[in-house]
Amino acid sequence: MPVAARPRADPRAAIARRRKAPPRGPRDRYGYDAGRNCRAGQTAGGEAGNPVVRADSRTDRPIMREIVFDTETTGLDPENGDRMVEIGCIEMVNRVATGRVYHAYFNPERAMPMEAERVHGLSAAFLADKPLFRDCVKELLEFIGDSPLVAHNAQ
């Protein structure tokens, strides 16, 4: 039995039926409504030790921005000169990756211990032309902002 073709819907009618979105105000640096009040007892900037929480203007649900990060180092004792040689950060909003990332390699200004190189594969020769941590820290802190940090594989 042949199947009857369905008449195509007029796309203009579908657009007219859509509910109009509420007007959008100015956005903050994360793309959320700037100046929107948070739920009672929370501040827009977060308080020490508390996550930054905002209210999503479309759903009025709280929005939480977190930074998940991982590092590689020359060792585990900074008092003996161990330094960070790589950091990778991923921005997450409500535990969903947004696509914003920060990644950098750093010159540790010291020899790479063989044990550390076996763990992460970063040699002193590879890191020799990379910037120093002190030259990139401002950019890293701007990316992190006041968001809580979640360390990958930390003990």
Side-chain angles (χ1 to χ4, degrees):
M1 177 192 291
V3 177
R6 253 195 288 172
R8 291 187 149 203
D10 182 6
R12 291 172 292 180
I15 291 171
R17 284 192 308 265
R18 286 187 192 148
R19 188 180 78 160
K20 288 190 174 186
R24 293 174 69 169
R27 308 309 249 182
D28 69 8
R29 66 182 180 182
Y30 308 116
Y32 305 115
D33 286 347
R36 170 106 175 147
N37 290 333
C38 296
R39 293 174 187 249
Q42 299 167 339
T43 62
E47 297 172 17
N50 293 331
V52 176
V53 179
R54 294 177 178 82
D56 184 333
S57 63
R58 293 165 293 179
T59 63
D60 204 34
R61 288 186 303 203
I63 295 176
M64 185 171 67
R65 179 179 186 263
E66 299 172 300
I67 303 296
V68 178
F69 73 99
D70 190 21
T71 62
E72 299 298 346
T73 65
T74 60
L76 300 174
D77 190 358
E79 291 181 9
N80 285 331
D82 287 328
R83 300 286 179 257
M84 181 167 50
V85 295
E86 181 182 18
I87 187 166
C89 302
I90 298 172
E91 178 190 62
M92 299 187 76
V93 173
N94 290 344
R95 299 191 177 171
V96 176
T98 65
R100 289 190 66 223
V101 300
Y102 177 87
H103 179 262
Y105 293 106
F106 306 112
N107 182 341
E109 296 186 291
R110 60 163 286 173
M112 180 64 67
M114 189 59 74
E115 303 81 33
E117 188 172 343
R118 270 185 263 176
V119 170
H120 51 62
L122 301 173
S123 68
F126 173 78
L127 297 168
D129 65 340
K130 304 302 184 247
L132 303 177
F133 178 78
R134 68 176 165 255
D135 297 333
C136 301
V137 69
K138 184 177 179 183
E139 183 180 316
L140 173 61
L141 292 175
E142 285 175 4
F143 180 81
I144 294 170
D146 55 359
S147 299
L149 298 175
V150 179
H152 174 264
N153 203 21
Q155 295 181 8

